[in-house]
Amino acid sequence: MAHEGVTRLGRALKTSPPGMLGISVLAVLLLMAVLAPATAPYGPRERVGRPFQPPGSRHLLGTNDVGQDILSEVIWGARVSLTIGIVAALAATSVGTVAGCAAGYFGGLVDGVLMRTVDLVLVVPFVPLMILLAAYLGPSLYNLVFVIAGLMWARPARVVRSQVLSLRTRLYVEAAKAAGGSAPHMIRRHIVPGVLPLVLAEFVVCASLAMLIEASLSFLGLGDPLQKSWGTTLYYARVRGAFLTGAWVWWVLPPGLLITLTVLGFALTGFTLEAHCGPRLARRGAGR
Amino acid sequence: MRGRLGTRAVQYGVLIFLTVALNFFLPRAMPGSPLAYLAGEDVGLMSAEVRREVLARHALDLPLGTQFARYLGNLVRGDLGHSYQRGRPVAEIIAERLPWTLLLTATSLVLSTLIGVALGAWAAWRRGQSSDLSLLLVVMFFRSMPSFWIAVILVAVFAVGLGWFPIYGAYTPWLVATGWERVLNVLRHLALPVLSLTLIGSAETFLVMRYAMLDVLGEDYIATARAKGLSERVVLYKHALRNALLPVATVFMLNLGFTVSGATVIETVFAYPGLGRLMYEAVLSRDYPLLQASFLVVTLAVVLANLLADLLYPLLDPRVRLSDGA
């Protein structure tokens, strides 16, 4: 049954032009990240030329302030950016799914406590809290993922809960429960397969938000200085005054364009999946 | 109605309490001495006697419960702490910055709502046609851009390249001009930051508006209006638009809360002297009291705006009044 749901989602993507566009963009970007060792001309931290070189035959996107090849930096950066986005979204969706399943299945006090917590997390001013925590916890990849996931689980939790509520009233679920199915058994066998397609959709939407948030935090210099994501590259471009010279064309445009394409890819895919399987949702601004 | 508001009020109370508690415990839970975070002093280098004296001066030698009570007492009296980096009360610094943030974010919010509503309604009206779909794709693209990236590009093109707008700041320092010239100066500084925020904000409103409008256009009363022979124009503006505005109003009020938390990233790019930029400066200079107080003020503002939204919403949508009566 879980299988069927996911297969149906695949079909929904194939028949929707925006969905296909989103998935193709993501596939190309993932390929770029995976193949980085083969496609990047240099290593991400290798000093290979004079600093601040404009684009030329040796360096297609020029070099940065310490003489690293910007093209290589951007290709390797795909790995860091995509990893943070995907891992944070994975964590947020997992927590959200567990919370949503528990709230929807058990109802009563569990539901009350969990959902009031969700309401609370949804009003927390996002970026300021991130800045506060990042300042105390220090910049590292783990903290970044931890903070993003800690604030993003609320939305999937709410969506999954409403789906569980509707599943709970279906006949086959009630029958299984009447036959004496224990709570863990019920959740594993009947609830999780039912919400799985929706969880996938939520994961993709979360990933698009996580990518934007990671970019903003890294751009402010609160990311991991040792792991250069696209946001980090933009941070250095700003700090070294790239937009005061012509260098912004090859230093600022490419990483930002890649962030935009990734977020767009996730968003198009996510909205297509969501429209196909989920209840309709009011969406909130991303990390502003 | 009263029940719903009551629950919300309790939630907001909890949120404020958690924020205060986080602010209090975070510096004390970090490894090392809280003095490093609260007073910017390194106790490792002090003699035992000096350390005792400094701890006592900041009341850090008292039991944790007493410290917390004092902290709460100070907050109630409006004392947000002292910035050791700037040697000034934090409340004073925040009061200086708040108007600039409000000017920036409120202007952008109003503009992006107007633009988003107009374009969204237009796109819904032309649903499925190529003009609707291409506009939708463009909007999705804008929505996916990091706001700071737009800002940096705008600066590079319109401020540095073309020289039409100033590169940073909210006004020209030491400007002797008065009256209109002064207003014009502030507006010129405001233009690019507002444009960055509006481009992204109107994309969000556009999506909500287009969706709501499509929904309304499928309703029976629209078909009735058309059947009566009303012109498409009247149907669109008099019947559909007003009802489709409801979800937009919700989003508007939610965003109202975020006007104060504002636009840290945008303010940073433009060195705009608002609250968001202040938080960033506080992080850079390790000014923890300033950082915490800014966060508290932002949270309070968000809560107030949400409370306002909860109070106003039943006035806009009579259905809420009716269904929540029970």
Side-chain angles (χ1 to χ4, degrees), chain A residues 22 25-26 29 82 204-205 207-213 215 230 256-271 286, chain B residues 140-146:
Chain A
V25 168
L26 286 181
L29 289 164
L82 284 171
V204 179
V205 174
S208 82
L209 291 179
M211 292 284 306
L212 269 183
I213 295 165
W230 291 327
L257 197 61
L258 286 172
I259 297 173
T260 308
L261 284 178
T262 318
V263 175
L264 185 65
F266 276 123
L268 288 177
T269 312
F271 290 172
Chain B
M140 285 295 283
F141 188 80
F142 269 93
R143 193 183 160 280
S144 303
M145 288 194 221

Side-chain angles (χ1 to χ4, degrees), chain A residues 96-107 110-111 114 160-161 164 187 191:
Chain A
T97 305
V98 171
C101 281
Y105 186 81
F106 294 111
V110 180
D111 186 30
L114 280 172
V160 166
R161 171 184 173 268
V164 172
I187 290 179
I191 303 295

Side-chain angles (χ1 to χ4, degrees), chain A residues 12-74:
Chain A
L13 269 185
K14 259 188 236 157
T15 51
S16 140
M20 268 319 276
L21 183 64
I23 269 288
S24 322
V25 168
L26 286 181
V28 170
L29 289 164
L30 269 175
L31 212 62
M32 180 172 119
V34 172
L35 296 180
T39 50
Y42 307 96
R45 277 180 291 275
E46 244 180 298
R47 298 183 173 205
V48 290
R50 279 182 296 109
F52 296 115
Q53 265 178 270
S57 56
R58 269 177 56 84
H59 305 289
L60 287 178
L61 293 177
T63 57
N64 67 10
D65 55 310
V66 291
Q68 295 162 336
D69 182 58
I70 294 178
L71 178 64
S72 309
E73 210 181 322
V74 166

Side-chain angles (χ1 to χ4, degrees), chain A residues 116 119-120 123-125 127-129 131-132 135-136 212 215-216 219-220 222 234 238 243-244 248 252-253 256-257 259-260 263-264 267-268 271 280 283-284 288, chain B residues 8 11 15 18 26-27 30 37 140-141 143-146 148-149 152-153 155-157 160 211 215 258 264-265 268-269 279-280 283 288 291-292 295 298 302 306:
Chain A
R116 296 297 78 77
D119 291 344
L120 207 107
V123 258
V124 168
V127 176
L129 180 62
I131 293 176
L132 184 77
Y136 271 106
L212 269 183
S216 296
F219 175 74
L220 289 175
L222 299 171
L234 288 167
R238 177 179 66 89
F243 61 94
L244 300 177
W248 67 275
V252 171
L253 279 187
L257 197 61
I259 297 173
T260 308
V263 175
L264 185 65
L268 288 177
F271 290 172
R280 284 221 328 257
R283 228 173 301 282
R284 291 178 30 145
R288 241 178 300 142
Chain B
R8 296 302 280 170
Q11 277 172 0
L15 182 63
L18 284 180
L26 214 45
M30 297 305 288
Y37 298 104
M140 285 295 283
F141 188 80
R143 193 183 160 280
S144 303
M145 288 194 221
F148 60 85
W149 188 58
V152 168
I153 293 175
V155 170
V157 175
V160 180
Y211 214 54
D215 218 32
F258 287 93
T264 311
V265 188
T268 304
V269 172
M279 276 197 90
Y280 182 61
V283 172
Y288 292 92
L291 183 60
Q292 295 188 340
F295 179 62
V298 164
V302 170
N306 274 283

Side-chain angles (χ1 to χ4, degrees), chain B residues 22-302:
Chain B
L22 185 73
N23 274 343
F24 176 78
F25 285 107
L26 214 45
R28 288 166 175 83
M30 297 305 288
S33 165
L35 261 190
Y37 298 104
L38 296 176
E41 296 187 58
D42 191 352
V43 279
L45 301 172
M46 296 174 188
S47 69
E49 199 180 327
V50 174
R51 187 186 313 163
R52 251 198 313 281
E53 195 266 319
V54 172
L55 280 173
R57 179 153 27 100
H58 293 282
L60 287 169
D61 52 347
L62 300 173
L64 217 52
T66 320
Q67 284 188 39
F68 193 52
R70 277 197 180 198
Y71 180 71
L72 288 181
N74 286 343
L75 286 183
V76 171
R77 271 183 277 116
D79 178 2
L80 293 176
H82 192 82
S83 159
Y84 51 83
Q85 294 282 1
R86 295 162 192 249
R88 294 173 62 195
V90 168
E92 224 178 271
I93 307 175
I94 291 179
E96 268 171 29
R97 299 295 192 99
L98 201 54
W100 290 114
T101 287
L102 288 178
L103 177 66
L104 170 62
T105 49
T107 313
S108 321
L109 182 59
V110 170
L111 281 180
S112 57
T113 304
L114 291 178
I115 296 172
V117 164
L119 285 181
W122 184 78
W125 182 50
R126 319 210 39 169
R127 64 196 166 282
Q129 297 178 24
S130 59
S131 52
D132 167 41
L133 294 178
S134 38
L135 188 59
L136 190 61
L137 200 63
V138 170
V139 165
M140 285 295 283
F141 188 80
F142 269 93
R143 193 183 160 280
S144 303
M145 288 194 221
S147 55
F148 60 85
W149 188 58
I150 296 187
V152 168
I153 293 175
L154 289 177
V155 170
V157 175
F158 294 106
V160 180
L162 296 168
W164 292 352
F165 297 100
I167 296 173
Y168 63 89
Y171 50 89
T172 309
W174 306 293
L175 185 74
V176 280
T178 49
W180 282 110
E181 208 179 328
R182 202 173 181 84
V183 173
L184 204 65
N185 186 271
V186 169
L187 286 181
R188 271 169 53 93
H189 281 83
L190 193 63
L192 289 183
V194 162
L195 185 58
S196 322
L197 284 176
T198 304
L199 279 176
I200 291 183
S202 45
E204 198 68 41
T205 314
F206 171 90
L207 290 179
V208 176
M209 183 65 196
R210 179 177 173 276
Y211 214 54
M213 196 73 174
L214 285 181
D215 218 32
V216 169
L217 286 177
E219 295 277 351
D220 286 343
Y221 62 80
I222 298 293
T224 310
R226 285 212 175 102
K228 282 196 299 191
L230 296 178
S231 74
E232 195 61 21
R233 202 184 182 77
V234 174
V235 173
L236 189 67
Y237 289 111
K238 289 209 115 161
H239 295 249
L241 193 68
R242 287 175 66 168
N243 289 306
L245 279 177
L246 214 58
V248 176
T250 315
V251 173
F252 179 86
M253 285 189 282
L254 279 176
N255 285 335
L256 207 60
F258 287 93
T259 45
V260 177
S261 72
T264 311
V265 188
I266 297 291
E267 287 179 7
T268 304
V269 172
F270 290 97
Y272 205 82
L275 206 55
R277 166 86 192 166
L278 185 66
M279 276 197 90
Y280 182 61
E281 287 168 13
V283 172
L284 286 189
S285 59
R286 303 266 160 243
D287 195 337
Y288 292 92
L290 185 58
L291 183 60
Q292 295 188 340
S294 317
F295 179 62
L296 184 61
V297 168
V298 164
T299 311
L300 277 177
V302 170

